[in-house]
Amino acid sequence: MMGMKSEESFLLGIKPALITTDHYEFISHLKTNYPYYVLQKRESFSDYLFFQDKEKMHSFLNQVNGTSDSQNPKHIQALGICLGFPPEAVHYFLIAGSRMYERVGLHYMGIHCAGSIDKLINNVLWLWNKYPFPELDKLQVIYEVGSIRQEIQLDYEDRNSLQLFHRVLLNSMNLMKTYENSLES
């Protein structure tokens, strides 16, 4: 299952904001009907941040205080929250560094983010609570490090499968930590 695309989720009014470029086929529609902020101008195209309404755009701009530095932690945090990511996933992104073995991808309702395995249950419950539309999408969890790839699609509020998969991922993460430590010795 491919899952709902970010653009589709935004146009349905589910996703609070959307990043896209001039290459998106409906860019004219978005520019005409939604408030937006130019994140970055490039030689051949620009990156835009579209909002469901002006209040969300003003809130984002107030949080970043006009800084356009996409590497600024304040900018990154405001962007993640405005895009509808779980707050703990946004925090993880800010501190993760190179600890790839503890990162897990989450895809649900056009929200595509990463968080720590330790916070997987909290992030999934947050997404289900924030976007309670079980008939539109299944939540996809992906863990991929080196040659290890584990993936599951969860039905809405299937906590038993979530907890079981969380235990599997914790074991995988611990194996990767052990392997990394053996390489350093």
Side-chain angles (χ1 to χ4, degrees):
M1 180 172 149
M2 184 67 161
M4 183 177 288
K5 293 181 180 178
S6 295
E7 296 86 357
E8 180 182 9
S9 178
F10 180 78
L11 291 171
L12 287 171
I14 297 167
K15 186 172 174 62
L18 173 71
I19 293 177
T20 194
T21 70
D22 291 313
H23 300 299
Y24 177 56
E25 63 183 314
F26 298 113
I27 192 72
S28 297
H29 171 76
L30 290 175
K31 283 182 169 181
T32 302
N33 294 290
Y34 295 94
Y36 63 93
Y37 172 74
V38 179
L39 285 171
Q40 185 174 12
K41 285 186 181 248
R42 302 173 194 232
E43 193 171 307
S44 59
F45 65 94
S46 295
D47 294 316
Y48 300 94
L49 178 60
F50 288 91
F51 301 86
Q52 290 293 343
D53 55 53
K54 288 182 181 179
E55 292 80 26
K56 286 182 176 62
M57 182 176 77
H58 292 303
S59 174
F60 171 76
L61 294 174
N62 287 336
Q63 288 176 36
V64 297
N65 282 339
T67 180
S68 60
D69 177 10
S70 62
Q71 301 306 310
N72 180 310
K74 192 176 196 177
H75 184 87
I76 293 168
Q77 182 172 11
L79 185 60
I81 296 299
C82 113
L83 288 170
F85 299 167
E88 289 184 2
V90 173
H91 177 73
Y92 172 77
F93 186 81
L94 288 169
I95 64 164
S98 62
R99 299 182 314 231
M100 298 299 287
Y101 58 80
E102 63 182 45
R103 186 180 83 185
V104 62
L106 301 171
H107 304 274
Y108 182 61
M109 301 305 299
I111 307 295
H112 305 283
C113 62
S116 107
I117 290 173
D118 291 335
K119 300 294 183 180
L120 173 64
I121 292 175
N122 290 351
N123 287 330
V124 168
L125 294 177
W126 187 93
L127 286 166
W128 280 336
N129 184 55
K130 182 78 173 171
Y131 308 105
F133 306 105
E135 66 281 1
L136 296 178
D137 204 1
K138 290 185 181 212
L139 191 137
Q140 185 177 21
V141 181
I142 302 169
Y143 178 73
E144 189 168 16
V145 176
S147 63
I148 297 174
R149 180 177 172 91
Q150 296 169 323
E151 181 177 335
I152 191 170
Q153 291 182 5
L154 298 168
D155 288 325
Y156 184 74
E157 294 196 340
D158 183 354
R159 293 169 191 246
N160 291 332
S161 295
L162 172 61
Q163 289 171 345
L164 177 63
F165 193 65
H166 183 241
R167 285 194 297 273
V168 168
L169 292 180
L170 287 171
N171 288 334
S172 295
M173 180 180 74
N174 289 329
L175 284 171
M176 289 306 297
K177 281 182 185 178
T178 302
Y179 176 71
E180 263 189 12
N181 290 338
S182 74
L183 293 176
E184 293 172 3
S185 319

